[in-house]
Amino acid sequence: MKQFSQSRNDFFDYVKNKPENDIVVPENLEETIQKAKRDLKLDTRNCYNFAFIGHTCSGKSSLINAIRGLKDDHPKAAKVGITETTHEIQPYTFEDPQYSHVKIYDIPGAGTLTHNAESYYHDKCLCAFDCLIILTQDTLAQDEINFAIQSLRYNQSIAFVRSKCDIVLYNALIKGEISQIDQQAVKHYISEMSDFYVEEIQRVDKPELCRVPCFFLSAYSLRNLIRGEKPAAVYHEKNFIDYMQAKSKWSRNIQQH
Ligand SMILES: Nc1nc2c(ncn2[C@@H]2O[C@H](COP(=O)(O)OP(=O)(O)OP(=O)(O)O)[C@@H](O)[C@H]2O)c(=O)[nH]1
Ligand SMILES: [Mg+2]
């Protein structure tokens, strides 16, 4: 109830104080998007294009492998590593004909010497994509917020994903905060992380970010679920897959086979 009242009050404050133009629309928006699509050679006619972006080692490639049901050592899997690993933009498709119209682009991680976070959005032509999945780390970093703000200016769909949630649970187990990893423990930690996410978004004071969903998940649990295997724990994997399906299914009337 307390959280609801807070959200309601924030909403009323937002409506009362809403500036006339809170989203600055870039000049020549359409021209810039078309150029970015050409530069990346995106097939925007037949495909819905997702880009997985975020800091290096945030788990982008692992998540793409999980969605495709592939183990990280599969020959068709994206390369995964404990240091900066993905160096070039790489598209991935699905063998299932139901998803033949979906493409996922693995983008090199931001915040490294070669992929500067400040110019990342423009350098990687990110405005060309239909939907950006922004991988976050333990907390929302300023760079991740900047990527989101820039993409909203281009009217893109975006979602935050906090992967590696299994680590939070394992740490709690090691510290003795919980005696086992079960759904009750998962519920408790996800609720804590979600509350913190809402606080962080409110602190940023960018009302347009309030409508961006955030999914908490584990790439390993997601891969298990996709492969029909029982995961150690379930986080927001289903909600995330539903989100991606909903986004890609109804877009631009792309014909599905
Ligand atoms: N425990 C756990 N580890 C994960 C998860 N996702 C990724 N990792 C690990 O995190 C490290 C980085 O994962 P990557 O998928 O290579 O990260 P990335 O964002 O693609 O990194 P760059 O290509 O450098 O941008 C690897 O050691 C992964 O095994 C997860 O959900 N749980
Ligand atoms: Mg990678």
Side-chain angles (χ1 to χ4, degrees), residues 38 54 59 100 124 144 161 172 174 176 196 202 220 226 230 232 244:
R38 281 196 303 276
S100 59
K124 306 290 170 225
E144 290 141 13
V161 167
I174 289 165
F196 187 64
Q202 283 170 352
Y220 304 149
I226 298 271
K230 195 174 179 315
M244 287 187 67

Side-chain angles (χ1 to χ4, degrees), residues 142-153:
Q142 188 60 49
D143 292 335
E144 290 141 13
I145 289 163
N146 290 344
F147 302 151
I149 291 170
Q150 290 182 76
S151 68
L152 287 176
R153 286 182 190 148

